[in-house]
């Protein structure tokens, strides 16, 4: 028996909160990637922190949205192992894409490869988390809609990584994170639109744990990671000022380049008086 699926049990509350969490994770992650590309010091650490922030934000977005998901005629429980595995998959696969772009640059083949891997990681997290659901029924997916959701995830990941590689300042990354959050949230609900649930209608108990009992405690870790990334971003001035560093002095062949300090000293001295080489008559 096909059952009614409701993804907005709490109205617009869960979609809006989920979107904000995706934006937060994206903003923090993109700033860490920008920091690695600009300063290039401790690059692996910055890229790893950015990967963890993006992956945690996407995972938190997914399960906040799932709290508003109900199926008529059966309770929904979640398997703890599968739910935790979806978080690990999200961080690891996002990290692979981020490291590719972080070391190869956000253009050409590197951007395509990194965006593809990251997008597949987002989609894998979503459908692995869905596989961890336990209910008195059977899940079926529309293949075309599932493919569309994966394409949206890949496009969103590629756009976000490209924006991180532009290094155009803080507001640029904020705007990119808003677009990324919208695309990732859109991917989630596109994937949910591909779902049909056929309820068995039996009296067999549903295994696993409820969303409130399982997801709320498990969100403490990702949320703490996002707070840590936020603290690092706030107290690192190079992240905030990324993209506003002055360009290097232009060097022309045969003319020694002057540093900014030397140029300021030359301007302070004023014009230099040149002595005439013509001998003066006495």
């Amino acid at each position: 028996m096909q059952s009614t699926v409701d993804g907005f049990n709490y109205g617009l509350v869960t979609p809006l909160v989920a979107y904000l969490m995706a934006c937060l994770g994206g903003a923090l992650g993109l700033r860490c990637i920008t920091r690695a590309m600009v300063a290039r010091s401790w690059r692996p650490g910055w890229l790893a922190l950015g990967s963890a922030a993006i992956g945690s934000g996407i995972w938190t977005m997914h399960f906040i949205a799932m709290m508003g998901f109900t199926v008529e005629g059966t309770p929904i429980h979640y398997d703890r192992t599968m739910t935790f595995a979806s978080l690990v998959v999200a961080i690891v696969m996002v990290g692979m894409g981020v490291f590719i772009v972080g070391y190869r640059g956000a253009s050409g083949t590197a951007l395509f490869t990194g965006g593809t891997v990251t997008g597949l990681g987002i989609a894998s997290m979503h459908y692995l988390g869905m596989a961890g659901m336990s209910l008195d029924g059977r899940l079926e997916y529309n293949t075309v809609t599932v493919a569309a959701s994966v394409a949206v995830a890949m496009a969103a990941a590629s756009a976000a990584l490209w924006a991180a590689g532009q290094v155009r300042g803080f507001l640029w990354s904020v705007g990119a994170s808003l677009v990324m959050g919208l695309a990732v949230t859109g991917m989630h609900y596109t994937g949910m639109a591909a779902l049909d649930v056929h309820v068995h209608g039996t009296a067999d108990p549903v295994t696993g744990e409820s969303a409130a009992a399982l997801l709320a405690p498990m969100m403490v870790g990702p949320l703490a990671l996002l707070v840590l990334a936020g603290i690092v971003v706030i107290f690192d001035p190079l992240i905030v000022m990324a993209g506003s560093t002055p360009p290097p002095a232009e060097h022309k062949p045969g003319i020694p380049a002057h540093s900014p300090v030397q140029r300021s000293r030359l301007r302070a001295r004023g014009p230099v008086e040149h002595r005439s080489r013509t001998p003066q008559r006495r």
Side-chain angles (χ1 to χ4, degrees):
M1 179 180 65
Q2 187 170 356
S3 181
T4 302
V5 176
D6 184 10
F8 304 93
N9 189 44
Y10 297 104
L12 295 178
V13 174
T14 47
L16 288 176
V17 175
Y19 169 70
L20 291 176
M21 292 306 303
C23 291
L24 176 61
L28 297 176
L30 292 178
R31 294 315 294 167
C32 291
I33 298 172
T34 299
R35 172 62 165 80
M37 290 183 171
V38 172
R40 299 186 179 184
S41 59
W42 296 94
R43 178 181 288 185
W46 285 112
L47 294 177
L49 182 60
S51 306
I54 295 175
S56 298
I58 294 172
W59 185 89
T60 307
M61 175 278 301
H62 171 80
F63 283 104
I64 288 177
M66 290 304 296
M67 287 185 175
F69 177 75
T70 58
V71 177
E72 183 181 2
T74 177
I76 300 176
H77 288 181
Y78 293 88
D79 179 76
R80 181 181 294 272
T81 303
M82 293 285 285
T83 302
F84 182 75
S86 66
L87 172 61
V88 176
V89 167
I91 294 177
V92 170
M93 293 195 69
V94 168
M96 292 172 60
V98 166
F99 269 78
I100 291 174
V101 171
Y103 280 94
R104 298 291 183 178
S107 61
T109 304
L111 178 61
F112 175 78
T113 305
T116 299
V117 173
T118 303
L120 291 176
I122 296 171
S124 299
M125 178 279 302
H126 174 86
Y127 290 106
L128 186 60
M130 296 295 291
M133 288 196 313
S134 176
L135 48 81
D136 184 22
R138 185 181 73 258
L139 305 181
E140 292 184 356
Y141 292 94
N142 182 280
T143 306
V144 176
T145 312
V146 169
S149 68
V150 175
V152 170
M154 292 169 58
S158 299
L161 293 177
W162 174 83
Q166 298 309 300
V167 193
R168 294 185 182 178
F170 181 74
L171 294 179
W172 175 267
S173 292
V174 170
S177 67
L178 294 177
V179 175
M180 179 182 179
L182 182 62
V184 171
T185 307
M187 174 268 159
H188 171 85
Y189 285 102
T190 302
M192 297 305 295
L195 176 66
D196 287 325
V197 181
H198 297 267
V199 177
H200 296 154
T202 63
D204 295 337
V206 178
T207 60
E209 302 179 52
S210 64
L214 175 63
L215 299 182
M218 287 191 69
M219 284 184 183
V220 173
L223 289 175
L225 184 59
L226 290 175
V227 171
L228 173 62
I231 293 174
V232 172
V233 168
I234 291 173
F235 287 99
D236 191 330
L238 284 180
I239 289 185
V240 179
M241 298 301 295
S244 60
T245 55
E250 182 181 1
H251 178 69
K252 298 182 180 179
I255 301 177
H258 297 287
S259 66
V261 176
Q262 290 174 330
R263 287 197 298 268
S264 62
R265 289 177 178 176
L266 290 174
R267 286 195 297 266
R269 292 177 183 177
V272 180
E273 296 182 359
H274 297 278
R275 294 184 178 179
S276 175
R277 296 183 179 180
T278 304
Q280 297 179 355
R281 296 181 180 180
R282 300 193 178 218

